[in-house]
Amino acid sequence: MLLQGVACRMLAAAPEAFVARIGGDEFTLIITTGEQPAAAEAVAKRLLAAFIDDFVIDGKSIQIGLSIGGAVYPADGTDAKTLMANADAALYQAKAAPQMSLMFFQPEMGFQLQERHNLQLDLRQAIARGELLLHYQPQFHIAGEVIGFEALARWHSPTRGLVPPSTFIPIAEECGLIIPLGEWALREACREAATWAEPLAIAVNVSPIQFHHGDLPGLVHTILLETGLAPARLELEITEGVLINDFSRAVSILRRLKSLGVQIALDDFGTGYSSLSYLHAFAFDKIKIDRAFISDLEHNHHSMAIVRAVIGLGHSLEIPILAEGVETEYQHGFLVTAGCDQIQGYLAGRPFPIERYAELVNGPPPASERHSELPLEQTGRPMAARG
Ligand code: C2E
Ligand code: MG
Ligand code: MG
């Protein structure tokens, strides 16, 4: 019914166009009359205006977004295939915009699309060739004691160098590679943590796509058995993205995960929908305040108020609050005063290969083996000693 409603609005807004639905939620319009690109732009603007109001289906209001990508004959292609591909490249850019938007094809978009495609091919091989690795960032009790580590994926590509997760995770999500990648990260982090002398926690990020794919609780259960890691030491970090589309299914998966004995943390809190109903529907074991609010503390009174309010909320709900991205003594001091429970950030320890944190995970070496090859501030020990 929603698709029918969408089609009706499109036809009404673009009577001069040929309109077709070409896939799930994708439509194509062909506009052959008038001067281009002005004519196409005029239609696109009418379309955007037509989608501002909610759709009402079965008495329920539904708001949907609209992104439009355009390509113009003959400048952007002289055959249907090229025109469609270039309109698609423009659509991809339009989708990246936060609001409903319109983009026309530009030649550099073609290169970007090609680059994305190449990156996908490389990433597929990277997993097989073992070019992925995990870095570990310590998490501390505000008083200084180490609690555990967050495992963060890195891609060491022989041709591209060290590719950051902000580049390859979204691409892996787009093409489904996040499934093997996420499974690898989970298994590798659990395997590593099971070797530590100290029973510290290990936090692993779970992408919304991985969360809703297959049987995540079953996979977690298998990996725990395989690696021998105590379930209570594993913490899965999810974002609100997991809860948006199919809330009741998501909550049921979360409950099944919880019943395995693992912990569930809500990552990047404050940047998404931050709906309080999520906190009401499921008992999270930790809330991580997004780095954006922490980095703003020095300059922004609103961020101060928000951070204080989230800490207060956590305390009332008896959920520990961790502040992400703590970089300065000022931020640390503010968080101590505000009663924040835990911190993670460059101030206390950067993400590094686990060898750099050997003393935290295995305790101090015997006196005879002690050597000081690393400056103290890189090992995370200063925070551990801060007490
Ligand atoms: P995240 O889960 O919120 O991880 C925290 C990010 O903040 C990490 O970025 C970390 O290096 C960075 N960070 C920590 N402390 C500081 C600080 O004091 N200052 C600054 N500027 N940054 C700090 P990273 O490693 O680049 O990872 C980015 C994101 O990629 C992660 O955000 C997570 O969403 C995703 N990611 C990483 N590894 C995985 C993975 O194995 N699976 C999935 N699904 N996502 C992953
Ligand atoms: Mg995380
Ligand atoms: Mg985060």
Side-chain angles (χ1 to χ4, degrees):
M1 286 166 81
L2 180 62
L3 284 170
Q4 285 175 352
V6 166
C8 285
R9 281 199 199 175
M10 282 199 180
L11 289 170
E16 69 271 60
F18 170 87
V19 183
R21 174 168 164 248
I22 56 162
D25 61 351
E26 278 194 24
F27 291 79
T28 292
L29 289 89
I30 302 174
I31 300 144
T32 52
T33 52
E35 278 284 306
Q36 297 296 1
E41 201 170 332
V43 170
K45 289 199 169 136
R46 269 184 274 135
L47 283 175
L48 289 172
F51 280 74
I52 290 174
D53 290 339
D54 287 4
F55 286 81
V56 180
I57 310 278
D58 270 351
K60 276 192 206 150
S61 248
I62 302 177
Q63 193 186 24
I64 59 169
L66 182 69
S67 305
I68 304 175
V72 178
Y73 172 92
D76 302 334
T78 51
D79 58 82
K81 198 170 163 233
T82 313
L83 278 170
M84 291 289 281
N86 288 346
D88 218 39
L91 175 63
Y92 184 79
Q93 296 284 317
K95 276 186 181 167
Q99 261 112 30
M100 300 215 284
S101 67
L102 163 66
M103 289 275 178
F104 276 98
F105 177 74
Q106 269 143 29
E108 63 269 18
M109 291 177 182
F111 299 128
Q112 284 161 9
L113 210 64
Q114 188 59 45
E115 170 56 14
R116 221 175 72 235
H117 184 67
N118 292 340
L119 211 63
Q120 269 183 22
L121 293 178
D122 284 0
L123 186 59
R124 204 172 286 276
Q125 292 192 323
I127 298 177
R129 287 187 191 151
E131 291 167 12
L132 293 176
L133 58 149
L134 291 178
H135 279 186
Y136 295 81
Q137 185 176 33
Q139 302 178 334
F140 293 92
H141 219 276
I142 195 85
E145 191 190 345
V146 65
I147 301 166
F149 288 82
E150 177 173 4
L152 294 158
R154 299 287 181 265
W155 173 15
H156 211 132
S157 153
T159 50
R160 298 168 186 275
L162 200 63
V163 186
S166 52
T167 305
F168 69 85
I169 296 282
I171 289 187
E173 287 177 329
E174 245 169 58
C175 64
L177 279 175
I178 192 69
I179 303 301
L181 192 157
E183 181 174 337
W184 167 82
L186 193 60
R187 180 172 280 115
E188 176 60 19
C190 290
R191 192 200 54 72
E192 170 59 42
T195 68
W196 301 342
E198 301 289 338
L200 299 170
I202 177 74
V204 183
N205 294 284
V206 176
S207 141
I209 293 169
Q210 188 190 359
F211 187 89
H212 286 290
H213 175 270
D215 175 20
L216 182 66
L219 177 69
V220 170
H221 185 58
T222 308
I223 290 179
L224 287 170
L225 289 176
E226 248 175 56
T227 58
L229 185 76
R233 290 180 56 199
L234 177 61
E235 182 168 82
L236 300 176
E237 293 195 1
I238 64 154
T239 54
E240 289 164 278
V242 153
L243 297 152
I244 292 166
N245 283 329
D246 194 343
F247 184 68
S248 52
R249 180 163 178 267
V251 170
S252 119
I253 296 174
L254 286 173
R255 297 219 168 104
R256 283 179 55 214
L257 287 167
K258 262 308 264 275
S259 71
L260 296 173
V262 305
Q263 311 280 305
I264 311 282
L266 190 53
D267 202 357
D268 303 341
F269 189 75
T271 54
Y273 291 75
S274 306
S275 164
L276 298 182
S277 60
Y278 299 154
L279 299 180
H280 182 63
F282 183 76
F284 287 95
D285 298 293
K286 184 183 286 186
I287 294 173
K288 301 185 76 177
I289 308 181
D290 193 77
R291 167 154 69 84
F293 298 101
I294 308 303
S295 63
D296 244 19
L297 281 177
E298 262 110 328
H299 331 281
N300 190 325
H301 286 277
H302 290 158
S303 290
M304 286 188 174
I306 290 168
V307 170
R308 280 200 199 98
V310 174
I311 293 170
L313 182 67
H315 286 174
S316 309
L317 295 168
E318 295 178 13
I319 306 174
I321 303 291
L322 179 146
E324 291 191 90
V326 181
E327 291 185 354
T328 66
E329 288 292 348
Y330 175 87
Q331 292 161 358
H332 181 250
F334 176 90
L335 293 163
V336 170
T337 312
C340 188
D341 305 283
Q342 305 172 5
I343 62 158
Q344 178 180 352
Y346 293 172
L347 179 69
R350 289 179 178 253
F352 278 129
I354 197 64
E355 295 75 39
R356 296 284 280 266
Y357 290 112
E359 276 194 35
L360 283 184
V361 299
N362 290 325
S368 58
E369 285 175 32
R370 226 168 265 170
H371 49 86
S372 56
E373 60 182 34
L374 293 172
L376 275 180
E377 62 273 13
Q378 289 184 353
T379 65
R381 268 179 285 157
M383 278 311 299
R386 195 168 269 149

